[in-house]
Amino acid sequence: MSFAPDAEQPGVMRADFGAYVAGCAFSPDGSVAAYALGDGCVALYIPATGETEYVAAHKGAALSLAASPRGFVSGGDDGRVVLTAWDGDYRELAAYPGEWIEHVAACATGKVLAAAKGKQVVLFDDALSPNLLPDLPSAIGGLAASPDGRALAASHYDGVTVYAPPRPAGRSNTFDGPGSNLAIVFSHDGAKIACATQDKSVRVYDLDQAAGYLLEGYPAKVRALSFSGDAAMLWTGGEQAFVGWPVDASVDPSAREATVFGMFEHGLLGTVAAHPVLPLVAGGFDGGVVFLGSVERMGAAPLVILDGRKITSLVWSPDGRRLAGGTDSGAAFYMNLAD
Amino acid sequence: MHSIPVTVLTGFLGAGKTTLLNHLLSENHGRRFAVIVNEFGEIGIDNELIVSSDEEIYLMNNGCICCSVRGDLIRVLSGLAKRRGGFDAVVLETTGLADPAAIIQTFAMDEDIRDAFALDSVATVVDAFHYPRHAAENRQALEQVVYADLVILNKTDLVAPEVLDDIQKQIRRINDTAQVVATTRCDIPLGTLLDRKAFDIGRLLFRSPGLSEAAQHGHEHDHGIASTSLTVAEPLDPERLGDFLRDLLRDKGQDIYRCKGIVNVAGAKQRFIFQGVHMYLETAWGAPWAADEERDSRAVFIGRGLNRDMLETGLAGCVAGKGAA
């Protein structure tokens, strides 16, 4: 149950949690990696000591995880939002019995801490007290905070609602997006939002221009999105390869063409994480293989193979030196790519 | 890893869905169920895994109503998949007016759901006492019967045998492939309710063809809904059949609730099988024909205002070796 070094791959630590890995996150300084698990635990791995601590944060399954400067925030199907400190101390921030907390969002500046409860955004103020925002048109499909904390976005049926700034009684702005909208991410500069849809497409919104456009052509539903560190590219899952779209304003929308490389014949790209600094992108393919793609070389090489049908989570440390991830069957890894 | 079976319980308000659910959960069968209900409340059994889910219909593919899926189901089932191992099967209790088509399409159209779960059965509870009125007043009551592979004809102690007989005939007219079980308080053996694999295309079976005779005559209380069974003796050309079905579902998919067929394809050792809900069509190769078996093709179309002659002509046009129609 603890992390142990891989006998053949130096720098790779592996663990078998025996429960679905619903989310991974790093503390802002990169010293703690957290894994939210289907048995309700949040597992904390501290590479410096090699210790793994299990925090019994939830009674059912932990469904979502995000890192804030105050600790890891997790949501569970016990209806609770829990904040777990780096040392494993945890406290309940809110509880909504009978509801599922499928999405949580936080940012590195600590300005935003939020969760999704059915059709409502739960926004925590500086004192960590929950505030329920007005109902959205449907259950929330995805929730994301901009890295600077100036905006919070929730996807729902027929659109995306952006709260900027995110305040309990603040204004919100809804962007149109017909159909069912799911996973949502901000670019690092906070200027763009990408949202995956139920209809095998991705919609990108430029917040300055208040307009969105659709990226299509996927053979399957897109489950993951990640902007490159410079916000010029959007990497997506949903294909048996890495797919990157130029989303820079300088590219004519009608001439937009996807960069596709790293074809993998055995499964779809289910999770994707662009490197925060370098032109690299990590991707988890169905079947359990994590590839590292190089945008410059237009190629990808396998990084680690995990037990499981799906890589469910993949995340870089903020400095881009470490990578963590896990699968639907509970296999997890932590990798140091810098030493 | 095998798929987790999902049993859907439908039926009008008061038909006995909750009674059936309580019966299912209280029986000592050694199985652990995750239960999805529309509303908490009447379930008398303590079960850790009861989830409530508000029906959210999501239109797909540019808003075509017959390609709708249940967004809430995708969400709840995806969440349940994260606690894999905590349960063996899922029971979904729908509202009294739920459209089973959107539920069936969710299992067919969403890859994540299709990957982790398998629709095992749509069981529709019918209140024998109120059904004639429900059926006359609400198309939904009939549609729920149309999509069922198991019809639990409940409260049979409250009606005379001839009324019961009438209801059975009416059910047969709109769905002659479902198993109909008569009960008084949904006391159906769990072996009948579970592990039906009714939507596993490889298991598609037909009842004896004689029963489909009733389907050929419309009925004034059926809202134009009828089941049309067709048989073709000559082997069919797979390409022509594909074209026929594709065109048919594109043009008439809104009105075709379900279609199923076991086809004798010219030159093939195996049965060719198709089944569809509205515009969604699934095809597969089934069991090989036995050497001494009569190889005829059989198809059933259940829908609203379907023209038997048109279907018959269309299917006849798929016979192999004939000149292009």
Side-chain angles (χ1 to χ4, degrees):
Chain A
M1 296 282 273
S2 307
F3 278 89
D6 187 297
E8 284 159 22
Q9 265 184 290
V12 175
M13 304 294 291
R14 289 172 179 275
D16 180 7
F17 290 129
Y20 192 105
V21 180
C24 298
F26 276 95
S27 61
D29 66 358
S31 67
V32 186
Y35 301 78
L37 305 177
D39 62 5
C41 282
V42 173
L44 302 178
Y45 175 58
I46 300 122
T49 62
E51 280 173 32
T52 309
E53 186 171 348
Y54 289 87
V55 179
H58 297 277
K59 290 196 186 71
L63 301 174
S64 49
L65 184 71
S68 88
R70 299 190 192 198
F72 295 109
V73 57
S74 58
D77 64 8
D78 55 357
R80 296 163 75 229
V81 183
V82 174
L83 183 70
T84 302
W86 320 127
D87 63 2
D89 272 354
Y90 70 100
R91 58 185 278 208
E92 180 183 291
L93 298 185
Y96 305 98
E99 301 273 358
W100 288 11
I101 310 299
E102 291 164 89
H103 310 285
V104 290
C107 68
T109 63
K111 276 188 185 165
V112 184
L113 195 61
K117 170 189 102 62
K119 296 178 178 180
Q120 284 182 295
V121 171
V122 184
L123 188 62
F124 294 91
D125 57 25
D126 290 342
L128 296 178
S129 305
N131 298 273
L132 285 171
L133 304 189
D135 270 7
L136 291 170
S138 76
I140 293 167
L143 188 69
S146 70
D148 61 8
R150 288 190 192 164
L152 174 71
S155 67
H156 47 79
Y157 195 60
D158 276 350
V160 168
T161 295
V162 178
Y163 305 88
R167 301 243 171 81
R171 281 186 317 120
S172 69
N173 191 7
T174 299
F175 295 85
D176 284 344
S180 172
N181 297 298
L182 308 169
I184 186 165
V185 291
F186 271 93
S187 60
H188 294 272
D189 60 5
K192 298 183 193 84
I193 295 175
C195 184
T197 78
Q198 177 73 35
D199 271 329
K200 301 177 183 174
S201 64
V202 175
R203 201 174 272 107
V204 181
Y205 299 92
D206 207 315
L207 293 183
D208 297 334
Q209 297 173 4
Y213 54 87
L214 204 60
L215 304 171
E216 293 178 291
Y218 294 94
K221 187 164 80 176
V222 177
R223 285 180 262 145
L225 302 164
S226 179
F227 281 99
S228 64
D230 60 5
M233 290 286 268
L234 173 69
W235 294 96
T236 75
E239 177 57 276
Q240 287 178 265
F242 286 92
V243 176
W245 296 91
V247 287
D248 207 279
S250 62
V251 179
D252 173 11
S254 59
R256 233 177 279 275
E257 209 171 307
T259 298
V260 179
F261 63 76
M263 299 289 205
F264 182 65
E265 61 178 305
H266 305 293
L268 292 162
L269 184 63
T271 49
V272 63
H275 192 277
V277 187
L278 302 171
L280 298 172
V281 55
F285 286 89
D286 290 354
V289 193
V290 178
F291 277 79
L292 184 63
S294 160
V295 183
E296 285 168 351
R297 287 176 28 221
M298 290 276 283
L303 205 57
V304 55
I305 297 172
L306 299 169
D307 257 358
R309 290 204 301 178
K310 285 183 174 168
I311 311 275
T312 49
S313 184
L314 206 55
V315 64
W316 291 98
S317 61
D319 62 5
R321 289 164 172 258
R322 325 260 188 266
L323 182 68
T327 72
D328 56 352
S329 69
F333 78 101
Y334 168 94
M335 191 170 190
N336 185 336
L337 290 99
D339 299 342
Chain B
M1 230 188 286
H2 66 284
S3 302
I4 298 169
V6 181
T7 302
V8 177
L9 305 182
T10 73
F12 252 49
L13 196 68
K17 293 192 297 286
T18 307
T19 308
L20 178 60
L21 186 58
N22 282 330
H23 167 51
L24 175 65
L25 295 180
S26 59
E27 198 96 334
N28 183 16
H29 39 56
R31 280 191 220 215
R32 295 162 304 165
F33 288 100
V35 183
I36 305 172
V37 294
N38 190 248
E39 250 176 72
F40 294 113
E42 292 173 58
I43 297 168
I45 307 299
D46 267 346
N47 184 323
E48 187 201 350
L49 268 176
I50 293 190
V51 188
S52 103
S53 149
D54 283 340
E55 198 174 71
E56 285 185 358
I57 307 270
Y58 289 168
L59 303 182
M60 302 268 299
N61 303 332
N62 309 320
C64 165
I65 190 88
C66 66
C67 296
S68 56
V69 297
R70 286 276 298 268
D72 58 314
L73 258 192
I74 296 176
R75 225 171 37 246
V76 170
L77 290 173
S78 303
L80 284 175
K82 291 177 185 166
R83 28 194 314 176
R84 254 198 123 95
F87 57 95
D88 313 304
V90 179
V91 183
L92 166 67
E93 185 196 12
T94 71
T95 65
L97 292 174
D99 175 13
I103 296 172
I104 297 169
Q105 283 169 179
T106 302
F107 284 91
M109 290 171 82
D110 189 276
E111 339 33 46
D112 296 343
I113 301 306
R114 203 169 52 202
D115 211 38
F117 297 91
L119 180 56
D120 189 67
S121 167
V122 173
T124 298
V125 185
V126 166
D127 176 338
F129 187 67
H130 290 113
Y131 183 73
R133 188 169 57 83
H134 287 162
E137 291 172 1
N138 294 285
R139 210 170 78 200
Q140 285 96 333
L142 293 171
E143 288 176 354
Q144 288 174 349
V145 169
V146 161
Y147 289 109
D149 57 278
L150 174 65
V151 176
I152 300 162
L153 189 47
N154 195 33
K155 305 188 188 178
T156 49
D157 52 331
L158 301 181
V159 296
E162 57 274 18
V163 177
L164 204 57
D165 195 47
D166 266 358
I167 295 174
Q168 301 230 21
K169 276 186 189 144
Q170 193 180 2
I171 290 170
R172 286 271 158 260
R173 265 201 307 276
I174 56 173
N175 184 347
D176 68 349
T177 61
Q179 181 183 359
V180 182
V181 178
T183 64
T184 54
R185 271 184 303 279
C186 283
D187 37 4
I188 177 175
L190 293 187
T192 308
L193 181 64
L194 302 172
D195 302 321
R196 297 180 63 82
K197 295 189 171 64
F199 289 80
D200 179 347
I201 189 165
R203 285 210 172 198
L204 187 57
L205 291 172
F206 278 1
R207 295 176 63 87
S208 63
L211 279 168
S212 60
E213 294 305 315
Q216 298 178 16
H217 309 285
H219 193 267
E220 56 186 311
H221 295 314
D222 290 352
H223 301 273
I225 298 171
S227 167
T228 304
S229 302
L230 303 163
T231 306
V232 183
E234 302 96 331
L236 301 185
D237 180 288
E239 239 170 79
R240 279 187 206 168
L241 178 67
D243 289 348
F244 165 67
L245 290 173
R246 198 169 41 247
D247 292 351
L248 177 72
L249 296 185
R250 189 192 58 215
D251 299 340
K252 296 257 186 281
Q254 299 259 16
D255 296 329
I256 298 178
Y257 296 135
R258 296 182 85 167
C259 64
K260 294 184 189 186
I262 295 181
V263 179
N264 172 21
V265 161
K269 287 195 178 75
Q270 286 168 280
R271 292 160 165 80
F272 178 76
I273 295 172
F274 69 85
Q275 66 176 2
V277 171
H278 288 307
M279 290 185 185
Y280 181 83
L281 185 74
E282 190 182 10
T283 60
W285 290 100
W289 297 99
D292 54 352
E293 208 170 351
E294 197 177 323
R295 291 178 53 148
D296 56 1
S297 299
R298 277 182 279 163
V300 174
F301 296 87
I302 309 176
R304 216 155 20 112
L306 294 186
N307 181 334
R308 184 183 173 87
D309 291 345
M310 186 268 287
L311 293 171
E312 215 161 31
T313 313
L315 215 51
C318 301
V319 169
K322 273 197 182 167

